Amino acid sequence: MFLTNEALHQKTPQEITALLYEALLLNLEDAVTYIEEKNYIDANEKLQKASDIVHRLGAGINYEAGIIADQLEQLYNYIADKLVEANFKKDKALINDIIAVLKPIMESWNQAMKSNRDVQSKDVKQKVNVYENYSMYDN
């Protein structure tokens, strides 16, 4: 996955979070593959990248969101701790546990983004209809 700086700047914070989740998952899956191949150097690199992504996700938490923000912080801290342990031990089971925790969050995030887009589309349509109706009576 490669994005230019210009393309990245055009993304919403929500879209960037979705991209980070995707990159995190890909790095974790690649690390499992490398461990299976006993390629521990590349597995280490992928797990370090995954750890960097988790830290970026944590830095982007909006604490005005309330309890969910605190829960996400705890979850990211848990994942970060498990990543260090998985990398030290080169343990596929730990990585798969992280993936099992990550996937529902990622799916929920993507679903929330999709639902939010749908709502926005309806709002925009309603505004356009109001404008069109007003314009018809204006003449």
Side-chain angles (χ1 to χ4, degrees):
M1 174 174 56
F2 174 75
L3 288 174
T4 64
N5 280 340
E6 182 180 333
L8 192 58
H9 288 290
Q10 293 174 353
K11 300 286 183 193
T12 65
Q14 295 82 5
E15 290 170 327
I16 292 172
T17 299
L19 290 172
L20 287 171
Y21 282 141
E22 185 179 331
L24 176 56
L25 181 62
L26 289 173
N27 278 290
L28 292 170
E29 290 172 342
D30 287 349
V32 169
T33 301
Y34 286 132
I35 290 170
E36 288 171 348
E37 297 170 353
K38 300 195 183 320
N39 182 347
Y40 300 122
I41 292 172
D42 287 338
N44 175 57
E45 184 179 308
K46 292 295 182 177
L47 291 171
Q48 285 180 359
K49 284 182 182 180
S51 182
D52 289 345
I53 292 168
V54 171
H55 289 301
R56 288 178 192 267
L57 285 165
I61 293 175
N62 177 0
Y63 289 95
E64 293 175 10
I67 188 103
I68 190 76
D70 295 332
Q71 291 172 340
L72 268 177
E73 179 185 32
Q74 290 175 0
L75 192 59
Y76 292 156
N77 287 339
Y78 170 81
I79 290 173
D81 290 346
K82 289 299 172 189
L83 275 170
V84 170
E85 184 180 354
N87 198 5
F88 181 75
K89 295 179 179 178
K90 300 299 184 271
D91 188 332
K92 294 185 311 184
L94 284 173
I95 299 169
N96 286 324
D97 289 345
I98 295 167
I99 291 171
V101 168
L102 176 64
K103 279 187 175 181
I105 297 165
M106 185 175 159
E107 291 166 5
S108 297
W109 185 265
N110 289 333
Q111 184 61 41
M113 279 186 17
K114 181 182 175 195
S115 297
N116 191 30
R117 273 193 222 117
D118 291 345
V119 169
Q120 288 176 341
S121 296
K122 289 176 187 175
D123 288 344
V124 169
K125 287 178 187 176
Q126 288 174 344
K127 288 176 185 174
V128 168
N129 286 339
V130 168
Y131 173 77
E132 289 173 352
N133 289 338
Y134 180 78
S135 295
M136 288 175 23
Y137 294 115
D138 196 30
N139 293 331

